[in-house]
Amino acid sequence: MAIYAERTLVVYKFMFNKRRHPDDVCSVYDLDGESILTHFSKFLNSRVTPKLENENVKILRFHKIDTISEKSILASIESGLAGEDRIIYEPSTNKNVGNINAEQAALVGTRVYLSVENTGDTYAILCVEHALSSAGNTIVPREFANYLRQAAPHVTMKYEAVTEKEAEDTFKSVEQISIKYYIKQNDISDSLIKESDYVMLTYGHKKNRPFSTKIIDAIRSIDSRRKILVGYEKSIVDRNDAVVEVQMKNNVGRTKKFKLNDDFDMRIVELLNCNGDKPLSDNEFVKRCAEKVEDISNRLGRSIL
């Protein structure tokens, strides 16, 4: 049975204005005569060349485009890193089964979902599925902005990630908190549990008494985590690489799972599949993205020019 790495969802907000006129907002339905969905479709069909970035050669290509509705697009993409000689190793046989040279890249298939559903005229929402060993979650919005400079020369595009605070504002309670530590080969354990994958400490609330969302700020750093959740140091979950996951219920009753990063300035990223589970199907991914767009557009409002 295959064991899959976890995937996360990161969301970006796209906004547009006339070039050299930052206060002159452009409609997402008229970016030099074409809508953002039309521009994005053409961008998806264009050739994206490899780029050297932060000493990594990032590869990106699109291989499947689905128009879900008149206001949303789903695209399957493949991306990865080149620039290194690599060995393909198979753990089950303890053998090397292939090689990748510096001009080649192992590509990971992920998806993006662009929507203007209920956003009005002034912004669009892009949901990006992030996977281990991909070219990163910023490459699509960045490359689209570069593409738009040529395709719509009178328009300037700005994009920003949905921030941590914005994500928290859509939730009313915390349902569960878990600290998960993935066991390493050199960890001491009894032979009876040597094949286990992780150790997890979970906090659940009393009936009808969920945790306040204020606890998110209180447990985001490692030090505060030790004091509030673990209570003492040097336990197996008191590790710098322990993962903290929270399940939160939003204002319309949906429960979502998030992973908290250690840095206070980092955004919350929503988990799509837990470590080891198979990635979501296209239909499941579209459903999660549509719910995310609905949550964000309800909070930001429908803006009409």
Side-chain angles (χ1 to χ4, degrees):
M1 180 179 176
I3 299 175
Y4 294 88
E6 70 180 23
R7 297 190 174 198
T8 54
L9 185 69
V10 181
V11 184
Y12 293 90
K13 178 184 176 184
F14 289 175
M15 299 155 289
F16 307 89
N17 59 267
K18 290 186 178 178
R19 189 169 297 279
R20 299 188 182 88
H21 298 278
D23 296 329
D24 199 346
V25 178
C26 294
S27 168
V28 295
Y29 298 101
D30 184 11
L31 304 176
D32 273 6
E34 293 184 316
S35 73
I36 183 175
L37 294 181
T38 300
H39 279 298
F40 197 67
S41 292
K42 291 181 177 180
F43 163 68
L44 296 174
N45 284 304
S46 68
R47 178 177 175 81
V48 180
T49 56
K51 292 198 170 185
L52 179 63
E53 180 183 303
N54 297 330
E55 301 179 355
N56 287 319
V57 180
K58 296 192 172 185
I59 311 294
L60 173 68
R61 73 177 185 182
F62 305 96
H63 65 90
K64 181 184 175 185
I65 303 167
D66 292 317
T67 302
I68 305 301
S69 71
E70 293 181 353
K71 299 199 173 209
S72 59
I73 290 176
L74 170 71
S76 299
I77 68 176
E78 294 172 335
S79 67
L81 304 177
E84 293 283 357
D85 294 327
R86 293 182 171 90
I87 296 171
I88 303 173
Y89 171 71
E90 188 174 68
S92 61
T93 62
N94 194 28
K95 292 181 180 180
N96 297 338
V97 295
N99 296 278
I100 296 176
N101 64 39
E103 295 181 347
Q104 299 172 325
L107 301 183
V108 180
T110 57
R111 293 156 291 194
V112 294
Y113 177 86
L114 180 71
S115 178
V116 291
E117 189 71 47
N118 203 40
T119 64
D121 297 330
T122 63
Y123 67 94
I125 300 296
L126 179 74
C127 298
V128 180
E129 181 183 33
H130 177 69
L132 188 69
S133 299
S134 70
N137 55 61
T138 61
I139 191 169
V140 172
R142 186 171 58 251
E143 289 301 317
F144 180 53
N146 291 336
Y147 168 87
L148 210 60
R149 290 191 185 99
Q150 302 295 323
H154 301 102
V155 174
T156 296
M157 172 180 153
K158 296 180 290 185
Y159 65 89
E160 60 185 30
V162 175
T163 65
E164 200 166 72
K165 188 60 181 173
E166 288 172 333
E168 289 174 34
D169 284 344
T170 66
F171 292 87
K172 64 179 182 180
S173 64
V174 175
E175 300 297 304
Q176 182 176 288
I177 304 166
S178 300
I179 306 178
K180 185 183 292 184
Y181 172 72
Y182 288 92
I183 298 172
K184 299 179 175 61
Q185 280 190 334
N186 59 352
D187 287 335
I188 300 173
S189 63
D190 190 276
S191 59
L192 292 174
I193 62 167
K194 199 66 179 178
E195 298 302 315
S196 59
D197 186 32
Y198 59 83
V199 176
M200 184 164 65
L201 173 66
T202 300
Y203 290 87
H205 63 76
K206 296 178 181 178
K207 187 176 180 180
N208 298 324
R209 293 179 61 186
F211 304 109
S212 167
T213 55
K214 293 179 181 179
I215 198 172
I216 300 300
D217 283 331
I219 65 173
R220 190 167 292 125
S221 73
I222 294 174
D223 288 339
S224 62
R225 211 173 288 162
R226 288 171 177 148
K227 179 181 177 181
I228 294 173
L229 295 183
V230 183
Y232 54 91
E233 296 185 7
K234 302 189 184 304
S235 69
I236 194 167
V237 292
D238 180 37
R239 308 287 186 94
N240 287 358
D241 52 356
V243 176
V244 174
E245 297 174 356
V246 294
Q247 290 187 24
M248 303 171 69
K249 184 173 287 186
N250 67 13
N251 295 322
V252 294
R254 295 187 186 125
T255 300
K256 307 274 181 119
K257 182 182 287 188
F258 292 91
K259 180 171 67 176
L260 294 188
N261 295 315
D262 295 327
D263 193 327
F264 273 85
D265 296 327
M266 295 294 285
R267 59 186 170 270
I268 291 177
V269 290
E270 183 174 338
L271 288 172
L272 293 175
N273 65 302
C274 293
N275 206 313
D277 295 340
K278 190 174 181 179
L280 300 183
S281 67
D282 282 354
N283 288 339
E284 290 170 330
F285 179 73
V286 167
K287 183 175 184 292
R288 293 286 286 274
C289 291
E291 289 175 353
K292 177 64 70 176
V293 171
E294 182 182 0
D295 290 342
I296 295 171
S297 62
N298 285 341
R299 176 174 50 81
L300 296 180
R302 191 167 183 265
S303 180
I304 304 297
L305 290 177

